[in-house]
Amino acid sequence: MKFDTPAAGVYPELIYPPYKSTLKRGPSQPLLRLVAPQPVRQNIAPSPRIFLPHDMDLTAQGASEPLGEKIVVTGRVLDEDGKPVRNSLLEVWQCNAAGRYRHKRDQHNAPLDPNFSGWGKMLTDDDGRYRFVTIKPGPYPWGNHDKAWRPAHIHFSLFGNVYAQRLVTQMYFPSDPLFDYDPIFQSVADPAARQRLISRFSLEHTVGDQMLGYEFDIVLRGRDATPMDQ
Ligand SMILES: [Fe+2]
């Protein structure tokens, strides 16, 4: 798996003033390209021992089911030629249905759910596919500006064949009314690239009367690259 810089407008600007914290953390000097002193070791698949029984079902980690709308999210991790990326370690994290993360820095006035940690992880299979069951996350306020609410989203981290290769992005849900007002979503300049951050409703992956399905493919680079957090 190689990670290259995609076309202009696909990755968010490092400094995007409407997204206030980028003003403090964005680089003030030109970027330097780091060159590895020796070839990076490849094909080191993550050990299956790092997985817990319910890492792929975030609704099964507590004493009982968490509150909210149960959903299944699936998709494929692909390279620029559309070939599957196998054995990629995916981690996901999200807030609960009420829009609250289980994290001490999240003091949003919304309830925690004792049955929902918001963390999961999995490997892609030989077809590059991942799949996990969760609760649809709620929108939450984040204080960036007046009436600043994030559209509902799930954070994704992808590791390549070595832990030094890591990409982070966010998946959104179709037709969210907050897209137009979210500086993080809007920090991706290319409108077509922004659309690639939005999952698709999938009747095919909907599970009977249990849960609706959403599909979200992740393309690592090339013309159809998924925008990644910088
Ligand atoms: Fe978030």
Side-chain angles (χ1 to χ4, degrees):
M1 189 189 307
K2 297 176 184 172
F3 299 150
D4 283 353
T5 304
V10 174
Y11 279 12
E13 296 295 327
L14 293 170
I15 297 178
Y16 183 68
Y19 180 4
K20 285 183 181 168
S21 62
T22 65
L23 290 168
K24 291 181 183 168
R25 68 171 185 243
S28 57
Q29 302 283 326
L31 298 184
L32 298 174
R33 178 172 288 277
L34 290 177
V35 179
Q38 56 192 23
V40 177
R41 289 178 68 197
Q42 298 291 329
N43 300 321
I44 305 173
S47 164
R49 285 176 299 180
I50 67 171
F51 295 99
L52 297 170
H54 298 300
D55 279 346
M56 290 188 292
D57 187 348
L58 284 70
T59 70
Q61 297 173 354
S64 61
E65 296 233 5
L67 296 173
E69 179 193 346
K70 192 172 179 179
I71 60 172
V72 56
V73 179
T74 184
R76 297 173 71 209
V77 180
L78 303 165
D79 69 13
E80 65 184 328
D81 300 317
K83 295 201 183 84
V85 179
R86 304 179 177 91
N87 280 325
S88 177
L89 173 62
L90 266 72
E91 290 178 288
V92 293
W93 65 97
Q94 63 169 91
C95 63
N96 65 24
R100 175 109 182 242
Y101 286 96
R102 185 177 294 201
H103 190 283
K104 62 177 184 299
R105 285 186 61 189
D106 187 348
Q107 296 301 315
H108 173 206
N109 182 24
L112 283 168
D113 187 330
N115 293 308
F116 192 71
S117 77
W119 286 91
K121 58 179 179 288
M122 68 221 79
L123 287 176
T124 55
D125 65 14
D126 283 348
D127 200 29
R129 183 167 291 281
Y130 68 88
R131 182 184 187 276
F132 63 96
V133 172
T134 188
I135 291 294
K136 193 170 186 181
Y140 60 80
W142 61 302
N144 183 74
H145 55 278
D146 184 38
K147 301 179 185 174
W149 284 74
R150 297 293 331 277
H153 60 275
I154 298 176
H155 297 267
F156 278 68
S157 157
L158 294 85
F159 284 102
N161 294 323
V162 292
Y163 287 112
Q165 298 171 328
R166 187 182 187 217
L167 290 175
V168 178
T169 191
Q170 298 181 31
M171 181 204 100
Y172 298 88
F173 291 87
S175 305
D176 195 310
L178 294 169
F179 287 150
D180 288 349
Y181 310 103
D182 181 45
I184 295 180
F185 184 72
Q186 295 294 334
S187 68
V188 175
D190 180 353
R194 286 202 294 272
Q195 292 303 308
R196 297 199 289 275
L197 291 171
I198 305 171
S199 59
R200 302 180 298 278
F201 166 69
S202 169
L203 194 64
E204 177 189 354
H205 293 290
T206 292
V207 179
D209 58 1
Q210 298 297 304
M211 50 190 160
L212 297 182
Y214 290 90
E215 194 155 27
F216 179 58
D217 291 338
I218 299 166
V219 179
L220 297 179
R221 63 178 188 153
R223 195 169 56 91
D224 299 321
T226 304
M228 301 286 168
D229 292 359
Q230 291 276 42

